[in-house]
Amino acid sequence: MPTPPPSRMRPDELDIDTELVERLVAEQFPEWASLPVRPVRSAGTDNAMYRLGDALVVRLPRLADGAGQIQREHRWLPVLAPRLPLSVPVPVAVGAPGTGYGLSWGVYEWREGDNAVDAPLRHNTLAAEQLGRFVAALRRLDAQGAPPSYRGGPPGREDGSIRAAIRDLGSDGTIDPALATDVWERTLRLPDWGREPVWLHGDLLPGNLLTADGQLTAVIDFGCLGVGDPAADLMAAWTVFTADTREVFRAAAEVDDATWERGRGWALRFGLSAEHYYGEVFGNGMNPVLAGVGRRAVAEVLAECG
């Protein structure tokens, strides 16, 4: 009986299922052909994941423009990993297009642990310090020849869609539209980074942090990895942490006031977009986990600015 594919979150997603992964592995990596393949439950939007035996995991881009993420991770993670204070994914092999799937795909070592949505951090002060140091360490690494990050620009782009999200989410009382508009307009007035681009992860959400016994153990999913303004990595202050540990994260990340404010703008932008696109009321309802993360981020930002 065929295994159902992961739920489609967007209409243009590629057809991916267990049988496809089995065929790709058998044709390109026959040494692993006997290993069982099983889907991994995830709220991630860019890649479908499948366990390959006990020690490996396969990642396949869900969208036609996502193949570059695999090459980016396999090119740069081995370079960056030895200099980072938290564990990160270990690339093992890159698969080629085949058997009806038109993109490159990747094989990685499997990381034990649970994501911070399913198993929230219990040692938040320590985790805030650890993740802040991770952000600072990443920012200091040599960025020569590095690709731009998807979130490496200023947070104020996509102004029209953000204002539409504020209007819709404000219409049913989900958010305070006047306050959200004020914070967004303050974001638009912030100065740009104005310095040499630096490394950033670009997607520091709870689903991309691994935990064990309530402690932070690893950072995963480097699909947005690249260089630019490091502000997007600061949105973890609102997507992951709360007011009582936010300043711990900020101190460990070692950033100036303007960059911190842009990070808050990124958290607001991400949160509004995620709730508006994936939520039950105005979105497609296909990713309630990510919508919930977005809702929380917006609430943290507005509570701080209200």
Side-chain angles (χ1 to χ4, degrees):
M1 186 74 175
T3 300
S7 298
R8 288 177 178 268
M9 289 174 277
R10 289 160 292 189
D12 52 348
E13 288 189 13
L14 303 175
D15 292 325
I16 302 172
D17 59 18
T18 301
E19 288 68 34
L20 170 68
V21 178
E22 289 173 342
R23 292 196 304 271
L24 287 168
V25 170
E27 290 185 5
Q28 300 184 33
F29 301 105
E31 66 273 27
W32 296 329
S34 63
L35 297 177
V37 175
R38 56 194 188 276
V40 177
R41 185 176 62 88
S42 170
T45 59
D46 291 337
N47 294 275
M49 297 193 299
Y50 290 81
R51 290 287 298 271
L52 180 59
D54 293 329
L56 301 172
V57 63
V58 177
R59 276 162 56 86
L60 304 95
R62 290 175 175 267
L63 300 173
D65 61 357
Q69 295 185 11
I70 300 298
Q71 283 91 347
R72 186 182 301 120
E73 290 180 334
H74 283 252
R75 164 68 178 86
W76 290 105
L77 280 177
V79 175
L80 303 178
R83 299 169 177 84
L84 295 173
L86 287 168
S87 295
V88 300
V90 176
V92 175
V94 177
T99 68
Y101 182 76
L103 304 179
S104 299
W105 48 283
V107 182
Y108 303 75
E109 291 184 3
W110 173 254
R111 290 282 184 195
E112 291 295 340
D114 298 300
N115 69 69
V117 174
D118 295 336
L121 294 161
R122 294 200 304 268
H123 307 278
N124 282 349
T125 300
L126 175 59
E129 185 176 352
Q130 290 176 304
L131 194 60
R133 289 201 306 263
F134 175 88
V135 167
L138 188 59
R139 191 175 67 241
R140 295 190 185 104
L141 298 182
D142 182 6
Q144 185 174 0
S149 169
Y150 165 70
R151 292 194 174 115
R157 294 175 182 171
E158 300 184 9
D159 179 52
S161 64
I162 298 304
R163 290 183 187 273
I166 291 173
R167 181 194 65 236
D168 289 344
L169 297 173
S171 69
D172 73 342
T174 300
I175 63 170
D176 178 341
L179 178 56
T181 299
D182 177 66
V183 177
W184 180 245
E185 289 182 345
R186 276 187 267 164
T187 298
L188 297 177
R189 295 193 293 269
L190 290 170
D192 290 345
W193 172 240
R195 282 171 265 178
E196 289 297 313
V198 297
W199 281 107
L200 67 152
H201 176 279
D203 204 25
L204 291 179
L205 306 176
N208 293 333
L209 305 179
L210 289 188
T211 71
D213 298 323
Q215 296 193 35
L216 178 62
T217 59
V219 178
I220 60 174
D221 194 346
F222 281 72
C224 292
L225 177 70
V227 298
D229 177 359
D233 274 356
L234 302 178
M235 68 179 178
W238 298 271
T239 61
V240 178
F241 302 112
T242 53
D244 58 339
T245 52
R246 196 166 291 140
E247 288 301 321
V248 175
F249 173 76
R250 179 177 183 174
E254 301 176 25
V255 293
D256 59 78
D257 290 347
T259 304
W260 182 255
E261 295 291 332
R262 289 195 305 278
R264 182 189 290 118
W266 267 111
L268 180 65
R269 170 179 161 173
F270 159 77
L272 290 168
S273 298
E275 168 71 358
H276 195 237
Y277 190 86
Y278 292 113
E280 294 285 350
V281 178
F282 296 101
N284 59 19
M286 293 303 297
N287 196 328
V289 172
L290 196 61
V293 173
R295 194 178 314 119
R296 178 198 186 277
V298 173
E300 291 288 332
V301 168
L302 297 186
E304 186 174 82
C305 298

